Amino acid sequence: MRRSLLSLRSTLVLTLAVLTGIGAGVLSRMAGAPGAQCVLYAAGAFGLAVPFFDRLVAAPGDDDSQSSS
């Protein structure tokens, strides 16, 4: 049986973070920042987007909206 390397949730989180980093890099380049600075902006946006989207995309079975008491 072949299993996938990443779960669907992990793939979604990383894809959204990569798109956020690309968007930050492109926007900073359009604003006139040097290329190396754009890469740093993109890397920073990616690094902040991973935990953000990790919390935003709920894991299966994690339903915090309903309490047991």
Side-chain angles (χ1 to χ4, degrees):
M1 179 158 97
R2 295 182 60 180
R3 291 182 23 188
S4 62
L5 185 61
L6 290 175
S7 68
L8 182 61
R9 180 175 177 266
S10 298
T11 304
L12 180 63
V13 168
L14 289 176
T15 301
L16 290 172
V18 165
L19 290 174
T20 301
I22 290 172
V26 167
L27 287 175
S28 61
R29 187 65 180 158
M30 289 174 61
Q37 194 171 5
C38 294
V39 171
L40 291 175
Y41 288 152
F46 173 81
L48 289 174
V50 169
F52 173 76
F53 288 121
D54 185 43
R55 287 182 180 248
L56 188 67
V57 178
D62 284 350
D63 192 10
D64 293 334
S65 62
Q66 297 177 354
S67 62
S68 60
S69 55

